[in-house]
Amino acid sequence: IATDPAAPIQARSSMEFTYRDSLARPLQVDFKQNGDASLKKMVINGVQAVPNYQKEHIIIDSRQLQQGLNHIEFEFQPGEDALNRREEYMYTLFVPDRARTAMPCFDQPDLKAIFKLTLHIDSSWQAIANGALLDSSVSGSRKTLHCAPSDSLSTYLFAFAAGKFKVAKGLIAGRNA
């Protein structure tokens, strides 16, 4: 994430899921391409695939899937409908169904996932997410943050914020905060 709100964000994501369908129906992954949002690359179970994009969905032919564990990787430019960017900060707001504007996902409240976030931000920025910070490293003017996996969440509850924040620490009800 660049500090300049006009600079595009380049993102990668991957999803792993167990496919238990009949393998006769295609799989729909939600992604609303609008404005700058666009899917650049998709790899399904190690094989690069040409995206079949239809009406806010990436349609994946059942022949590209396998019974059991599947892995899909995406390279994309997120749309910014649900990414609230300013010069000194950015935060997500994915309710009620806006996660699909920022990333390929299953954007349905009855489906839950565990999210594992890595952020690349300006070294002067701080960030917080659903998963606790595991580690961070600085290289030049950039900082990379690795977050622990979140609890099992619907996409509308997945969130992060990054910016020129001050970190405050203390005790609340006898616990570190």
Side-chain angles (χ1 to χ4, degrees):
I1 301 168
T3 56
D4 176 2
I9 297 172
Q10 299 304 316
R12 291 186 320 228
S13 70
S14 63
M15 57 172 61
E16 285 187 351
F17 57 92
T18 302
Y19 190 71
R20 294 188 180 107
D21 208 338
S22 67
L23 292 175
R25 294 184 298 181
L27 177 71
Q28 294 185 15
V29 177
D30 302 315
F31 185 55
K32 184 176 181 179
Q33 294 189 122
N34 64 350
D36 292 330
S38 61
L39 185 59
K40 310 287 186 195
K41 183 178 177 183
M42 181 172 69
V43 177
I44 303 170
N45 295 319
V47 178
Q48 187 164 342
V50 175
N52 175 3
Y53 185 78
Q54 298 178 23
K55 299 181 182 176
E56 298 186 21
H57 301 288
I58 302 164
I59 309 299
I60 299 174
D61 189 296
S62 61
R63 293 173 293 196
Q64 296 172 293
L65 301 170
Q66 56 197 20
Q67 280 289 353
L69 188 64
N70 286 267
H71 183 86
I72 304 176
E73 299 172 34
F74 301 99
E75 288 183 20
F76 60 99
Q77 181 173 336
E80 298 202 23
D81 291 352
L83 302 178
N84 299 283
R85 288 178 83 183
R86 302 295 181 268
E87 197 167 300
E88 295 189 352
Y89 64 89
M90 186 188 95
Y91 66 92
T92 58
L93 185 58
F94 289 159
V95 292
D97 64 348
R98 292 175 22 162
R100 72 181 68 210
T101 70
M103 63 187 173
C105 61
F106 298 116
D107 200 10
Q108 302 165 39
D110 62 328
L111 299 177
K112 298 184 183 340
I114 296 170
F115 294 86
K116 191 171 145 185
L117 178 69
T118 298
L119 286 172
H120 304 283
I121 58 176
D122 189 84
S123 61
S124 67
W125 282 22
Q126 304 296 325
I128 190 168
N130 296 93
L133 179 63
L134 289 176
D135 63 57
S136 65
S137 61
V138 176
S139 178
S141 65
R142 305 295 294 161
K143 183 189 312 186
T144 299
L145 303 142
H146 296 99
C147 297
S150 70
D151 292 332
S152 186
L153 306 169
S154 298
T155 51
Y156 73 91
L157 295 174
F158 173 61
F160 64 89
K164 289 188 177 181
F165 304 138
K166 295 190 188 283
V167 176
K169 295 182 180 186
L171 290 175
I172 298 176
R175 301 181 84 180
N176 288 328

